[in-house]
Amino acid sequence: MSQHYAAHLATLVQRSEAALARAGFDHLVIASGVEKYHFLDDRPYPFRANPHFRHWLPLAQQPHCWIVHTPGRRPLLVHHQPDDYWHVPPAPPEGFWVEHFDLRVIREPREAAAHLPRGRVAIVGEADAAVADVVPNNPQPLLDLLHHERGFKTAYELDRMRRAQRRAWKGHRAAEAAFRNGGSEREIHRAYLDASGHGDLDLPYGSIVCLNAHAAVLHYQHQSPERPAKHLSFLIDAGAEVDGYAADITRTYAAREGAFADLVAAVEDEQLALCAQVSAGRDFRDLHLECHLRLAGVLRNAGIVDMDPGAMVAEGVTRVFFPHGLGHLIGLQVHDVGGRHDREGREIPRPQGHPYLRLTRTLAPGMVVTIEPGLYFIPSLLAELRAGPHAGAVDWDAVEALLPYGGIRIEDEVACTEDEPENLTREAEAWARAESA
Ligand code: GLY
Ligand code: MN
Ligand code: MN
């Protein structure tokens, strides 16, 4: 691990040097950030360190810390260790990464100013992190390059992401069991947390735990404590984190055989075919459009929409059933930065009519993307379709019968390599199934 980390750090140093040179600065300074408080209250919101900070070292929970990189020098960590008897103060840093940093300990946030360089300094952080005259300036040309390069994962990062996948799969296995046992969304969610070893606050995103028609809400944010009268379907989109790196996995289960189970299997077939195309040189926008075409085929084969698949895509009919993007970059953030811009920060446009696609770049080795096609039965979008020119092509009885099931999403993370794609999620799933066999 230490070796992987040393190589990771060498890559960050190189990228930092290139970004500083491009933007005309001599030092890179990164603030971990500050806690934010509820209005008129003394309770802070959960803290999460600046992702630029977490890229250099795995301290996700510590405000008022700083990293300094000056080309040619060892990176410096200014570490905030307050004398605080209300809370457990941060322990002195330890782990595989510590030996690579010079360390200065501060007791008060303002003491950081004495350790930070002045002059031509790029300061990356939120405005509130300012101490004395050290005020974040977030130079755009520097950020553009760093965000773009963050799309290419180091071996260290891939290792963290594989581990995050395994951690998430422990939760997914327990969640499926809780569903099969007739649990409520809240009970399923708790089973997920217990098995993955997460609390609500350290998940990479709020878990999406949907029984029945709730699966039609793309980012359903509740976890109902009520057990429904009948369990028809279960969609769970839940992740995990290792050293700040996220997993983002979705599975959909049918309670029993039938039309919905067949539809889940058909979506999964297409999902796997799309995962197999995560290869260098592939424009992700084309893959997204291919996904629409494949889902059109599923809708036609299932007898839901009787139209030529190409026409279904061209006329926007598939967007009613699949109203989000095929996937996104993932890493330090579940929706990682840098998905829609080139190295110079120029926007790479989305295909017209696809406003939610988060990734428009061409795939290259080192990129990790999610592949997450879905088919949903969303009443408001279906009402528009029913009022439009293609209503006659839809078997509305079939749609009515599927509404109580909500929808389907199947989501894996796939790494682009020089060679065959590496499906991080399926590998971890196989591991989890073998563990529990
Ligand atoms: N969990 C949010 C997403 O899949 O993008
Ligand atoms: Mn996702
Ligand atoms: Mn997801």
Side-chain angles (χ1 to χ4, degrees):
M1 181 43 53
S2 182
Q3 219 173 11
H4 268 171
Y5 178 74
H8 169 73
L9 198 57
T11 300
L12 295 197
V13 162
Q14 230 171 34
R15 290 179 187 171
S16 165
E17 285 175 4
L20 289 169
R22 171 199 274 194
F25 292 94
D26 300 324
H27 312 270
L28 174 63
V29 167
I30 304 172
S32 69
V34 296
E35 280 186 302
K36 306 284 195 311
Y37 287 79
H38 293 255
F39 183 53
L40 298 180
D41 206 336
D42 61 0
R43 283 195 319 128
Y45 292 100
F47 176 76
R48 224 174 144 65
N50 172 0
H52 284 273
F53 183 88
R54 293 188 287 115
H55 206 190
W56 287 72
L57 41 80
L59 293 181
Q61 304 289 344
Q62 305 191 5
H64 307 300
C65 297
W66 298 78
I67 290 166
V68 180
H69 173 236
T70 303
R73 293 198 209 146
R74 262 161 77 85
L76 169 70
L77 170 64
V78 178
H79 194 240
H80 182 230
Q81 294 174 27
D83 290 320
D84 180 356
Y85 52 82
W86 292 91
H87 306 100
V88 178
E94 57 177 35
F96 54 85
W97 56 274
V98 174
E99 62 179 288
H100 299 277
F101 283 81
D102 284 336
L103 183 67
R104 311 260 173 83
V105 174
I106 56 172
R107 301 291 174 201
E108 300 281 345
R110 62 186 152 74
E111 291 171 22
H115 302 286
L116 302 176
R118 303 298 197 278
R120 300 198 314 160
V121 190
I123 306 167
V124 176
E126 57 195 329
D128 297 351
V131 282
D133 58 333
V134 181
V135 179
N137 53 8
N138 296 309
Q140 198 58 48
L142 174 129
L143 292 182
D144 286 339
L145 186 56
L146 294 181
H147 288 175
H148 187 270
E149 301 291 274
R150 219 164 86 195
F152 307 114
K153 267 56 184 181
T154 63
Y156 162 79
E157 293 181 293
L158 288 169
D159 176 79
R160 292 0 249 167
M161 293 178 77
R162 288 186 196 105
R163 288 171 196 245
Q165 289 284 322
R166 288 187 174 197
R167 186 174 185 184
W169 262 110
K170 290 184 189 169
H172 275 267
R173 297 286 294 147
E176 185 191 351
F179 161 65
R180 305 267 181 220
N181 283 333
S184 67
E185 290 166 351
R186 187 170 293 174
E187 287 167 328
I188 295 170
H189 175 59
R190 287 194 179 131
Y192 184 93
L193 291 178
D194 275 350
S196 64
H198 267 293
D200 266 312
L201 298 184
D202 60 2
L203 287 167
Y205 59 94
S207 296
I208 301 166
V209 182
C210 312
L211 290 174
N212 304 342
H214 291 157
V217 183
L218 299 181
H219 282 176
Y220 174 68
Q221 72 275 40
H222 303 300
Q223 282 123 21
S224 169
E226 310 290 338
R227 294 181 179 178
K230 208 166 178 189
H231 284 63
L232 301 173
S233 62
F234 172 44
L235 183 156
I236 176 164
D237 181 344
E241 217 173 81
V242 168
D243 288 336
Y245 287 88
D248 176 11
I249 302 172
T250 310
R251 287 294 180 267
T252 307
Y253 305 97
R256 50 195 70 80
E257 291 180 3
F260 183 75
D262 294 346
L263 211 50
V264 173
V267 171
E268 179 157 19
D269 284 347
E270 303 306 336
Q271 194 263 357
L272 286 169
L274 292 160
C275 289
Q277 294 184 61
V278 172
S279 55
R282 192 84 161 94
D283 185 327
F284 201 76
R285 295 174 296 186
D286 293 342
L287 204 54
H288 170 80
L289 294 174
E290 180 176 327
C291 175
H292 271 271
L293 199 59
R294 287 175 172 276
L295 292 172
V298 172
L299 288 167
R300 192 172 68 168
N301 292 342
I304 297 168
V305 183
D306 184 17
M307 265 174 96
D308 166 71
M312 231 191 281
V313 177
E315 296 292 316
V317 174
T318 48
R319 294 205 303 266
V320 171
F321 298 92
F322 176 48
H324 60 75
L326 170 61
H328 49 85
L329 293 173
I330 179 165
L332 290 164
Q333 292 164 280
V334 66
H335 298 152
D336 222 358
V337 289
R340 296 195 299 110
H341 294 85
D342 67 13
R343 287 183 99 243
E344 274 69 42
R346 289 180 299 240
E347 187 178 349
I348 307 168
R350 296 168 165 128
Q352 213 174 7
H354 296 264
Y356 300 115
L357 184 59
R358 291 189 168 98
L359 177 57
T360 54
R361 284 166 65 175
T362 294
L363 298 176
M367 290 168 87
V368 182
V369 300
T370 66
I371 297 291
E372 48 181 304
L375 279 184
Y376 309 87
F377 301 94
I378 302 173
S380 61
L381 299 182
L382 290 167
E384 282 177 34
L385 181 61
R386 200 159 196 168
H390 301 296
V394 178
D395 179 341
W396 291 104
D397 289 341
V399 168
E400 286 290 325
L402 286 161
L403 275 170
Y405 294 82
I408 299 163
R409 177 163 66 254
I410 299 173
E411 174 175 28
D412 290 349
E413 274 162 52
V414 185
C416 180
T417 75
E418 303 280 356
D419 216 339
E420 294 297 303
E422 179 187 347
N423 189 320
L424 307 182
T425 305
R426 301 278 167 171
E427 282 170 17
E429 179 177 9
W431 169 85
R433 286 185 186 279
E435 283 284 294
S436 59

